[in-house]
Amino acid sequence: MSIGLYHFLGLAAALFSVGVIGVVTRRNAIGILIGVELMLNACNINLVAFSRFGGGGMVGQVFAVFVIVLAAAEAAVALAIILQLFDKRRDVDVDRARTLRG
Amino acid sequence: MEQALPAYVPWIIFLPAIAGLIQQFMGKKLPRQGDILVIGAMAGSLALSVAMLFGWMALEPGQFFHAKMTWFTLPNGTEFYLGIMVDGLTAALSIVVTLVATLVFLFSSAYMKGDANYERFFFWLSFFGVAMLILTLADNLLMLFIGWELVGLCSYKLIGFWSQDLANAEAAKKAFITTRIGDVGMMVGILILYNVTGSLQFDAIYAAAANWEGSTGLLTMAGIGIFLGAVGKSAQFPLQVWLPDAMAGPTPVSALIHAATMVAAGVYLAARMFPIFTPDALGYIAATGAVTAFGAAIIAVVQTDIKKVLAYSTISQLGYMMIGVGCGAPWAGMFHLVTHAFFKACLFLGSGSVIYAMHHAQDLKDMGGLRKKMPITFATFLVATFALAGLPFMSGFYSKDAILYAALGDHSYWIFGFGFAAAFLTAFYMTRMVWLCFFGEPRNQEKYDHAKESPWQMTLPLVVLAVLSIGVIYNQTHFADTFFRTPAYQEQFAKTDSNENAYWAADAEPPAHHDHETWFTMLAWTLGPAGIGLGLLLYARGKRNEKSRVMPQAMQSYAENLAYMDDLYLGAVVPGFDRTAESARWTDENIVDGLVNVTGRGGLLVGDISGDFDQVVVDGAVTLSADVAQGAGAVVSTAQTGRIRNYLAGAIGATAVVIVGVIFALWIL
Amino acid sequence: MGAQALLFWMFAAMVIAGGLMAVLLPSIQQAVFSLLLSFVGVAAIYALAGADFLAITQIVVYVGGILVLLSFGILLTGRTALTLGPQEIRNRPLGVLLGAMIFAGLLWAIVNSSGFAPGAGMDGGTTKAIGQLLLTRYLIAFEFAAIMLLTALVGAAYLVRRTQA
């Protein structure tokens, strides 16, 4: 069969779900970050697929460029925060970081 | 007919009122503690009264000044007024009041000098003047009654002025309460009049009395009721007991209030309300007057205190005035009121002068031979005594003459007889007093040596009043005719078609003043000298003193026990009142106070309940809401675990639920 | 299956496998490396979809930047990161459930959507087109992105500064 829009979208959906599992499950802060990156990638695939098949023109790809850029920035900041966390507590276990407990 | 009131007339009342107010608040700080202010104000009122007199005299007969303003209105529309009416009665009395008041105020400035409450005395004098003038100038019964009550109040305060002495306070209380009894009758009379005529204005009442709508009996009752007020105020039988005791007050007070003005208010009221007196009422009035005149004269014979002699003399003379009114000649009564005011005030002030010179000794046993030491006092006293005794050419002669003639004209022979006898006794006891005081040997040498003539503030009034006691003045000016035959009811007084039902309307012109029977004239001329002669006969030889018995024993006992009236009251009336007061006290203490206590405890109980309610219910509600909030918060805050993964899971889970939910909803629909 | 389809399925499998491993492996180090696999697969997918510029950018930025960043993160957070062990993974049932729910939902949406015409394939390079668009139509977004990056840079630098001890 020819690869169509829906294949890409299905792939993106699957990748997104995987990312969700990662975010919910992981205890390591970096692990959560990994999950987030996977989700972002799934969004990108979606965008590109629509750009290719959905009649959107180049918009999708341009948007995907921006997403990548921002994902990079976000990863940098997140890591900076994690490093600060590590500095203060000597571990990156998010379960231990519950001073905001109400 | 009404004429517009001249603008200065209200100032007759306002001047002493303002002076009184100033005196009340600033009396102590004024120079001489305000006596000049008060005397000056009253002198001003005198001047205005004279002006008012001339103004009135310019009117036609039957005209009078009248002005009124609405004071308050009842919800049902009836209006009550404050107003001033000026007819002959008013004009004459106003002059009498202001003149005697001015002279007495002047006298007081020397008599009361050095008293600790000097300024308070002048305040009450001024206030009395205001009240008396309100009474005089009033144009309706309400305002007159107000003035009436106020003079009663001032009398009370002034009698008991030296209140440190219990006897004075008791005397003041007796005066007030006794006159109050009369006032009850007066109120009944006023109410009857108001009920039938619908107004308290004099002119309305006069018109109504000409065509009375109620029964005659009712009108008689009204008349007697009003007269009872006069009985109280003018110390007639049986309410005369307060006047002798009132002599406990300072002598100027006795002169002003209890000789010349307040006690005369009763006579003024009787003359003012003359149109409403039915023949029955008039008969009662005349009888009362006669009994009083004679009974008091007997008591005066045995008195040893010079003020008491004059007090009983006053009661007797007031009885005379009532005889005048009761015999259908209110002008005669008013005429006697005027002459009596002057000579009695002169006598009282003269006795005040004597008391002052004797360092406040009042009993005849300390006196004698004073004519050498106090010539002016003696001379004026003598003149006034002649007037009182009714010697020819003195003022009292003409006025008593008029009254006795009226009694004859009314065919009330026994009243004439009583009056006649009283006149004789009057001359007698006055002679006794004058002799024992001013003639003979001094009985108290020490006091005699210290006595000297009083200062000019005292002797000047005496001289003025003595001059006014000389009768030719009145005779020549046809005083009574001018003033007292033209009261406000003049129109109705002459019989016309509109008032032909009125019993008091006169058929013809009253007879001229000197148109007397010969025998009557002879009698009148000799009455006074005869009394004086008897007095001199008994006392001038020095064999008798003030305590000697000169009357038959029965009369003597009657006189010495003051007609047994005080005993009667104390034995019969007072215990009843005491018992009533006692039961009222019991009621008040046990029932009223008990009620108050129960209410108080009830209030406390309510307060407790309210407090408990507040604590349990209200606070409980507040606490409950706080607990609920806290509980809800506690429940909710379990979600605040602080765990990031929980938050993340929550967020994502919510998203998942939303997605699935939306899909589900779309799928179903 | 055409060659295209075959390539697609192969790379799709790579992506999913890499992703699964990245989230399921206890060791973070291994997770990062499986992420590499996933990223490369995604790049290939892009290429299959005709987005050549994007594929290269993906490699450069994600693999060359982010992955390196993550590795440095692991390096700097040291032994504690590596030694979390089995306790590392928690709530696996919940996670799987949520993931499944979302997947199901998205799938249903995909399946029931319609109206998308297969667009023409992109021929030729997209680089030029993207470049043009970035500097004309989407200029502002471009600039904002630049500022964003600057901000992130400064922020990150600030966050990890060594406070005076």
Side-chain angles (χ1 to χ4, degrees), chain B residues 54 72 108 153 214 250 264 320 504 515 553-554 591 607 624 644:
Chain B
F54 283 113
F72 60 90
S108 308
L153 170 71
Y320 256 98
W504 42 263
D515 189 11
Q553 183 58 43
I591 297 180
L624 184 69
I644 298 173

Side-chain angles (χ1 to χ4, degrees), chain A residues 20 23-27 94-95 97-98 100-102, chain B residues 637-638 640-649 652:
Chain A
V20 165
V23 167
V24 174
T25 305
R26 282 276 187 194
R27 218 167 74 168
V94 296
D95 279 353
R98 33 180 163 133
L100 277 180
R101 182 171 197 279
Chain B
S637 70
T638 52
Q640 304 290 327
T641 54
R643 296 181 178 207
I644 298 173
R645 283 208 300 164
N646 291 21
Y647 297 158
L648 278 171
I652 294 175

Side-chain angles (χ1 to χ4, degrees), chain B residues 493-512:
Chain B
F493 203 78
K495 213 171 190 100
T496 61
D497 291 331
S498 64
N499 69 348
E500 57 184 16
N501 295 323
Y503 48 86
W504 42 263
D507 273 317
E509 276 298 309

Side-chain angles (χ1 to χ4, degrees), chain A residues 30-52:
Chain A
I30 298 179
I32 297 176
L33 194 57
I34 289 170
V36 172
E37 294 302 331
L38 284 173
M39 290 204 284
L40 281 167
N41 273 296
C43 294
N44 267 350
I45 296 177
N46 249 342
L47 286 163
V48 169
F50 275 108
S51 164
R52 168 80 161 89

